[in-house]
Amino acid sequence: MRQTAAVTEEDPGPVVQRILLGAELREAREHQGLSTSDATRRLGWYAGKLSKVEQGDKSLTDRELAKAVDVFGIDAERAEVLRKLAAEARRKLPPARVPEWATKYVNLIAAATEIKLFFPDSFPGTVQTFDYAQAMLDSAVIVAPADVERMAEERARRADSLLKNERTRLWLVVGEEALHREIGGRTVLRAQLERIRTLAEAPNSTVQVLPFDGGAHACHGTSFTIITLLEGKPSIVYTEGLTGSDYLGREHVRVYNLAYDNLRAAALSPQRTIEALDRRIGELS
């Protein structure tokens, strides 16, 4: 029997359970040699529903899951595991103070076993201090002024939790510009760099800076996050724009992982990164 997260382990939340269920169903469908369109016809579902389920964007009723179990030839033992996943996936959680389209990302980050981040010109919300987050959110065109403080508090809380979370492996590559762009002013930037300096020395984290003088690299104009929920399970690539986000899987993950390996090779070593952070913190003191 293949490994699946048991619902009795530390609760990863319904969003993650939907993704795990979707991955299991996609694997079962492909094992039967069924295309998405063929499976959709056999299931009697509307066009696009199966894709949403497999991507973790839609939950299933017990009856819908039973139909999928029958069509995909899933054995009884496996079906029981999937029923438990489906039940957990239908739970509701209190909404996070983020735009609706970013809620899935917040839940994925909270449940991840490995996170790889690349941001070329600033530090991502995942690792921001309250003041740095507030300055970023103040300039965002889609965030209401009344929501800024609460959203900044939640970003800072999530960053604190990640710093204390020893089970999540964190990789962070940032462009050197992030060390110089004075978001919130010199004092705010210095405190943010001190946070990153602490992160760089954490046993489960690796931080690297991509230097100005390094020339061209694999990801100009692109920031992204690669999220792994369980070892051996497919990762997810998250990209974000001003008004929405995208979750990429399968072949996209291979390409983004290759790009990330190239970024790490082009960046300063972790030790030289710490030295660069120390220099910049000293300049801002």
Side-chain angles (χ1 to χ4, degrees):
M1 181 176 173
R2 296 181 304 274
Q3 180 185 4
T4 299
V7 296
T8 55
E9 294 172 0
E10 183 178 351
D11 183 11
V15 171
V16 176
Q17 302 288 16
R18 285 203 305 270
I19 290 170
L20 294 175
L21 177 62
E24 294 288 344
L25 290 176
R26 181 177 62 242
E27 182 180 340
R29 172 180 62 78
E30 292 176 345
H31 184 71
Q32 290 291 101
L34 293 172
S35 67
T36 302
S37 57
D38 287 340
T40 296
R41 283 194 296 272
R42 294 195 189 187
L43 290 164
W45 293 354
Y46 62 79
K49 179 175 179 176
L50 180 55
S51 293
K52 290 181 179 179
V53 169
E54 291 184 351
Q55 292 167 6
D57 292 328
K58 185 171 180 57
S59 59
L60 289 178
T61 66
D62 287 338
R63 178 175 294 184
E64 290 170 332
L65 179 59
K67 182 67 172 178
V69 164
D70 180 55
V71 170
F72 299 159
I74 299 171
D75 63 58
E77 183 181 11
R78 196 73 190 153
E80 181 59 25
V81 174
L82 298 186
R83 276 191 286 272
K84 291 178 180 179
L85 277 175
E88 290 294 301
R90 291 193 292 268
R91 289 184 298 118
K92 301 293 185 182
L93 288 181
R97 292 190 182 99
V98 294
E100 183 178 352
W101 44 264
T103 301
K104 182 176 176 180
Y105 173 77
V106 169
N107 285 281
L108 290 175
I109 288 295
T113 58
E114 182 179 68
I115 305 167
K116 297 178 180 177
L117 302 128
F118 171 64
F119 279 68
D121 56 12
S122 63
F123 294 101
T126 314
V127 297
Q128 288 175 1
T129 64
F130 170 80
D131 290 329
Y132 192 92
Q134 187 174 47
M136 291 282 283
L137 292 165
D138 269 334
S139 63
V141 296
I142 63 166
V143 177
D147 294 333
V148 167
E149 184 172 353
R150 288 182 300 167
M151 290 177 69
E153 287 174 350
E154 188 153 317
R155 280 193 185 184
R157 179 186 58 77
R158 292 197 301 269
D160 288 340
S161 297
L162 186 62
L163 190 61
K164 298 171 185 175
N165 181 1
E166 296 182 357
R167 71 171 183 82
T168 301
R169 186 75 177 91
L170 179 68
W171 307 82
L172 172 63
V173 178
V174 293
E176 189 174 352
E177 181 178 343
L179 277 63
H180 293 271
R181 181 168 291 279
E182 296 182 7
I183 293 172
R186 293 171 64 87
T187 301
V188 170
L189 176 58
R190 185 176 70 246
Q192 178 64 54
L193 293 177
E194 289 169 347
R195 157 65 61 84
I196 300 301
R197 176 68 167 75
T198 300
L199 188 67
E201 290 196 317
N204 61 320
S205 302
T206 300
V207 179
Q208 293 180 257
V209 168
L210 197 63
F212 284 136
D213 61 8
H217 60 78
C219 300
H220 288 283
T222 301
S223 61
F224 62 90
T225 305
I226 304 173
I227 304 165
T228 301
L229 297 175
L230 289 174
E231 186 177 354
K233 293 294 181 183
S235 299
I236 300 164
V237 174
Y238 173 80
T239 61
E240 182 179 306
L242 288 177
T243 57
S245 60
D246 202 2
Y247 297 86
L248 309 174
R250 303 179 73 77
E251 179 62 17
H252 299 282
V253 175
R254 186 191 68 80
V255 173
Y256 275 85
N257 268 313
L258 177 60
Y260 203 82
D261 289 343
N262 289 342
L263 288 169
R264 290 202 62 220
L268 300 178
S269 69
Q271 182 55 46
R272 289 187 62 197
T273 292
I274 289 175
E275 294 167 2
L277 288 167
D278 286 340
R279 284 194 301 272
R280 185 62 180 140
I281 290 169
E283 292 169 1
L284 294 167
S285 296

